[in-house]
Amino acid sequence: MSRLFTAPDGLPRCAWAGSAPDFLRYHDEEWGYPVGGDIRLFEKVCLESFQSGLSWRTILDKRENFRAAFAGFDFNKMAKFDETDVERLLQDKGIIRHRGKIEAVINNAARAQELVAEAGSLAAFFWSFEPKPEDLPEPQTVSTSPESVALSKALKKRGWKFVGPTTAFAFMQAMGLINDHAYGCHCREKASAARRAFTPPALKAAV
């Protein structure tokens, strides 16, 4: 999985970045860079939940539709969604119309509010699971980790749904909690530099 491909600009990237037209920009500008905003973090958890059993290309193609349908993934707004909203979303051809996943992310919005009250922010909670760089395996060689298992368990304990260890790991890859860009990838050092410049928020209290 750590193979490289050469992009049109002549620079090497992770091989998967060349597998679909929209992947190159996503890879270069988003994937693996640290995120500290609660809305973006919550959005990514939701989108990874919707991806379960599907390809990321499917979700990325529909991301703007998801944002429109789910109030920009503002969990304070989503927590107010009711059965009428569920039925509305089930009729929306621009998203993944899976009742279980729709109900799960609405549930998770309310759980996110609770987690903010507990930890101070979603960012503080999620970043508390950041692994030590020296403990990381070779890039893109695993789909779970001890930290993603721990994060999944912590979220499930708090009532979150569709947040298994694989989903948690993909979330950690994308949001920069780990730098999983392949060795030799043009963006690996850029992601590392961004992490060095990023200070995760502190937990409000032990959780």
Side-chain angles (χ1 to χ4, degrees):
M1 288 299 294
S2 293
R3 294 179 296 108
L4 300 173
F5 98 106
T6 302
D9 61 5
L11 297 173
R13 265 84 166 186
C14 300
W16 63 265
S19 61
D22 292 339
F23 280 6
L24 185 60
R25 183 175 179 180
Y26 174 71
H27 168 274
D28 283 9
E29 299 180 5
E30 295 187 52
W31 194 78
Y33 296 93
V35 173
D38 280 6
I39 298 298
R40 276 200 63 201
L41 290 166
F42 183 71
E43 173 185 284
K44 187 59 175 174
V45 171
C46 292
L47 293 179
E48 290 294 348
S49 296
F50 273 106
Q51 186 193 346
S52 180
L54 302 171
S55 71
W56 176 243
R57 182 177 184 179
T58 298
I59 303 302
L60 189 60
D61 286 346
K62 295 176 179 290
R63 183 164 64 170
E64 291 304 322
N65 297 333
F66 275 109
R67 287 171 173 168
F70 286 94
F73 289 102
D74 183 332
F75 50 86
N76 291 309
K77 295 179 180 178
M78 284 179 58
K80 299 176 182 177
F81 282 13
D82 56 19
E83 186 58 32
T84 300
D85 292 291
V86 173
E87 294 304 320
R88 168 181 61 83
L89 292 164
L90 286 170
Q91 301 304 314
D92 190 336
K93 296 180 180 179
I95 65 170
I96 303 300
R97 295 181 290 174
H98 183 292
R99 179 181 287 274
K101 293 178 180 180
I102 290 170
E103 291 178 342
V105 298
I106 294 172
N107 165 79
N108 292 349
R111 306 291 77 76
Q113 289 181 313
E114 296 166 356
L115 192 50
V116 169
E118 174 189 347
S121 67
L122 297 185
F125 179 81
F126 287 132
W127 278 94
S128 71
F129 290 88
E130 180 187 15
K132 296 178 180 178
E134 60 267 25
D135 293 338
L136 295 175
E138 291 286 314
Q140 300 174 44
T141 58
V142 300
S143 59
T144 64
S145 69
E147 292 81 12
S148 78
V149 171
L151 175 57
S152 173
K153 287 181 177 179
L155 290 172
K156 289 180 178 179
K157 180 180 178 180
R158 290 165 174 81
W160 292 58
K161 299 179 180 179
F162 272 91
V163 287
T166 301
T167 295
F169 187 79
F171 166 82
M172 296 171 81
Q173 287 177 302
M175 297 289 94
L177 279 77
I178 61 175
N179 183 356
D180 225 22
H181 282 281
Y183 295 132
C185 171
H186 167 64
C187 293
R188 183 172 177 84
E189 177 50 35
K190 289 172 61 179
S192 293
R195 174 61 189 87
R196 290 192 295 270
F198 174 75
T199 301
L203 290 167
K204 184 175 74 173
V207 293

